[in-house]
C-alpha cells in the first residue's frame, strides 16, 4: 500500500487506524469536513457531494467510516434522517468520485454493521445471511448499496460489517464501564440475545488485511469468531472488573430509556461469524472475549 485515504478519520475507529498505519509506516491522508489545516489533510464536503479526486489520485486505498454517531441520542425522526443522510451522502459522494474521476483506488473498504442482519435470534449469520428488517438493517443495506457505482467501475469494494468494537475510551464499552464499576451492571432484557464483538486492535488488523489481500471483496463480517449472549458478556465483564453483575435491566426499562435505539442495538440479537476472514486464514488473537476486554482495559 502506498497511501490510504481515510474518511470519518476523527472518530474512534479512524483514530485507531491512523495510529496503526502511521506507526507501521503507511501514509494516511485524512478527508476533513473543514478547510485542510495540516499536511496529510484534504478537504471534502460530503453533504454537497464534493470530493477532490485529483488530490487523492495517489491513494490506492480508501477507507470510509463517516457518519453521525448511531448511539449519539434517541432516534427521533430528525436524528434518523441525520444518521441516514450522513452515511448515504458521504458514501455516494465517494462512489461518484471513484467511479467517474481521475482517482481509481485499488480497494475501497466501507464501514457497515452487523445491524444489517436485523434482530436475527439464534440464526448463525455469515455474510450470505439476508438483510434483516428495521431502521438499522435498512440503513446498512442502503449504505452498502451506495458503494455499487465504484464496484461497477472495477474497484474492489469490501463492505465491512462491524460488530461492537471493544475499547475502553469510546463506544458501547465506555458506556457500560461506569455502570459495571459501580456494581450495578448486569444482563439486559432476558440476556439471551447474541452480541457480536471485536477488539479495537483486532479490527485494525482486519482492515489492514482486507486492504492488502485481494481475495476479499463484497461483504466481510468484522467480528470475533465467538459471539456471546448478552448475559455472558455481562458475566465476563464483571469478572474482569471484579465487580458483581446481578442488576438486570429489563427490556421495558431499556425501551423506555432508549426507545427504538435500545430495541435495535442492545436488545437485538446478532450471532455473526467471520466466515470470510476464517476462510482466508485470518489469524484471530486467542483468548476470546475475556482477553479482548482485558486488552481494552489496559489501553
Ligand atoms: N464503533 C463501533 O462499535 C461500530 C460498530 C458498527 C459500525 N460502526 C460504524 O463504523 C463507523 C466508524 O465508527 P466509529 O465508532 O469510529 O464512529 P464515530 O466515532 O462516531 O466517528 C464517525 C466519524 O464520522 C464523521 N462524521 C460525523 N458526522 C458526520 C456527518 N454528518 N457527515 C459526514 N461525516 C460525519 C466524523 O469524522 P470527521 O469529523 O473526521 O469527518 C466522525 O468522527 C461508523 O459509521 C459506525 O456506524 C461502528
Amino acid at each position: 500500500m502506498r497511501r490510504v485515504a481515510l474518511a470519518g478519520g476523527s472518530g474512534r475507529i479512524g483514530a485507531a487506524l491512523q495510529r496503526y498505519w502511521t506507526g507501521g509506516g503507511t501514509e494516511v491522508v485524512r478527508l476533513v469536513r473543514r478547510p485542510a489545516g495540516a499536511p496529510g489533510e484534504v478537504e471534502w464536503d460530503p453533504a454537497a457531494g464534493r470530493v477532490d479526486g485529483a488530490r487523492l489520485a495517489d491513494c490506492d486505498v480508501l477507507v470510509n467510516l463517516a457518519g453521525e454517531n448511531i448511539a449519539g441520542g434517541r432516534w427521533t425522526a430528525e436524528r434518523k434522517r441525520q444518521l441516514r443522510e450522513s452515511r448515504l451522502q458521504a458514501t455516494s459522494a465517494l462512489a461518484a468520485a471513484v467511479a467517474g474521476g481521475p482517482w481509481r483506488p485499488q480497494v475501497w473498504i466501507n464501514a457497515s454493521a452487523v445491524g444489517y442482519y436485523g434482530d436475527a435470534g439464534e440464526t448463525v449469520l455469515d455474510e450470505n445471511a439476508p438483510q434483516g428488517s428495521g431502521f438499522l438493517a435498512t440503513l446498512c443495506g442502503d449504505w452498502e448499496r451506495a458503494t455499487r457505482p465504484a464496484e461497477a467501475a472495477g474497484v474492489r469494494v469490501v463492505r465491512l460489517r462491524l460488530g461492537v468494537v471493544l475499547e475502553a475510551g469510546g463506544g458501547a464499552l465506555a458506556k457500560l464501564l461506569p455502570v459495571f464499576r459501580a456494581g450495578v451492571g448486569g444482563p439486559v432484557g432476558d440476556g439471551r440475545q447474541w452480541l457480536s464483538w471485536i477488539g479495537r486492535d483486532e479490527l485494525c488488523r482486519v482492515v489492514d488485511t482486507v486492504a492488502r489481500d485481494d481475495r476479499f471483496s463484497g461483504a466481510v463480517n468484522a467480528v470475533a469468531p465467538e459471539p456471546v449472549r448478552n448475559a455472558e458478556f455481562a458475566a465476563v465483564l464483571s469478572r474482569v472488573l471484579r465487580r458483581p453483575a446481578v442488576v438486570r435491566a429489563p427490556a421495558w426499562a431499556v425501551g423506555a430509556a432508549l426507545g427504538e435505539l435500545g430495541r435495535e442495538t442492545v436488545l437485538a440479537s446478532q450471532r455473526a461469524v467471520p466466515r470470510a476472514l476464517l476462510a482466508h486464514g485470518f489469524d484471530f488473537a486467542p483468548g476470546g472475549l475475556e482477553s479482548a476486554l482485558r486488552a481494552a482495559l489496559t489501553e
Side-chain angles (χ1 to χ4, degrees):
M1 295 193 311
R2 287 174 298 141
R3 289 172 100 199
V4 179
L6 180 60
S10 72
R12 304 298 315 176
I13 299 172
L17 268 176
Q18 189 161 4
R19 281 193 302 275
Y20 178 90
W21 271 322
T22 49
T26 297
E27 200 181 334
V28 175
V29 176
R30 274 189 49 203
L31 276 69
V32 294
R33 292 175 294 141
R34 49 167 172 75
E41 291 185 349
V42 170
E43 186 183 344
W44 72 319
D45 185 347
R50 192 164 53 75
V51 180
D52 190 349
R55 303 240 3 240
L56 297 164
D58 59 354
C59 292
D60 47 8
V61 178
L62 164 62
V63 176
N64 175 31
L65 306 166
E68 292 279 344
N69 195 289
I70 293 285
R74 278 180 80 99
W75 288 353
T76 60
E78 172 59 13
R79 185 70 191 147
K80 282 159 92 170
R81 188 191 62 74
Q82 291 167 351
L83 294 174
R84 273 185 69 81
E85 284 190 0
S86 58
R87 285 174 174 74
L88 300 188
Q89 288 173 343
T91 307
S92 299
L94 291 167
V98 159
W103 177 34
R104 193 59 59 88
Q106 283 163 20
V107 58
W108 173 3
I109 298 156
N110 202 65
S112 178
V114 293
Y116 174 89
Y117 302 111
D119 185 1
E122 295 295 307
T123 309
V124 176
L125 303 165
D126 70 18
E127 290 85 349
N128 294 320
Q131 183 182 334
S133 59
F135 170 72
L136 215 47
T138 306
L139 168 52
C140 288
D142 292 344
W143 191 11
E144 294 190 6
R145 277 185 287 278
T147 62
R148 286 275 153 80
E151 213 162 31
V155 175
R156 178 167 68 91
V157 176
V158 176
R159 293 179 269 277
L160 212 52
R161 294 182 183 151
L162 306 176
V164 172
V165 180
L166 298 181
E167 59 161 342
L173 184 57
K175 288 195 165 73
L176 291 175
L177 281 177
V179 182
F180 275 74
R181 282 190 170 125
V184 291
V188 178
D190 68 7
R192 291 186 55 75
Q193 68 276 31
W194 290 91
L195 187 153
S196 299
W197 57 274
I198 185 163
R200 187 197 63 192
D201 294 346
E202 188 109 281
L203 175 62
C204 290
R205 282 204 304 121
V206 165
V207 178
D208 186 66
T209 299
V210 301
R212 291 176 194 275
D213 186 339
D214 61 15
R215 292 175 301 171
F216 289 97
S217 67
V220 173
N221 286 346
V223 295
E226 313 92 359
V228 293
R229 292 190 192 274
N230 176 280
E232 187 186 347
F233 186 89
V236 176
L237 181 57
S238 74
R239 188 159 71 235
V240 169
L241 294 173
R242 297 172 192 249
R243 306 292 294 156
V246 289
V247 184
R248 187 176 287 274
W252 63 263
V254 175
L258 299 175
E260 198 176 356
L261 163 63
R263 286 191 292 277
E264 291 209 10
T265 56
V266 284
L267 291 171
S269 183
Q270 279 126 11
R271 191 180 186 180
V273 291
R275 186 191 55 82
L277 285 164
L278 290 172
H280 296 313
F282 183 81
D283 193 15
F284 281 96
L289 177 62
E290 179 157 344
S291 162
L293 284 173
R294 288 192 192 284
L297 292 170
T298 53
E299 279 157 12

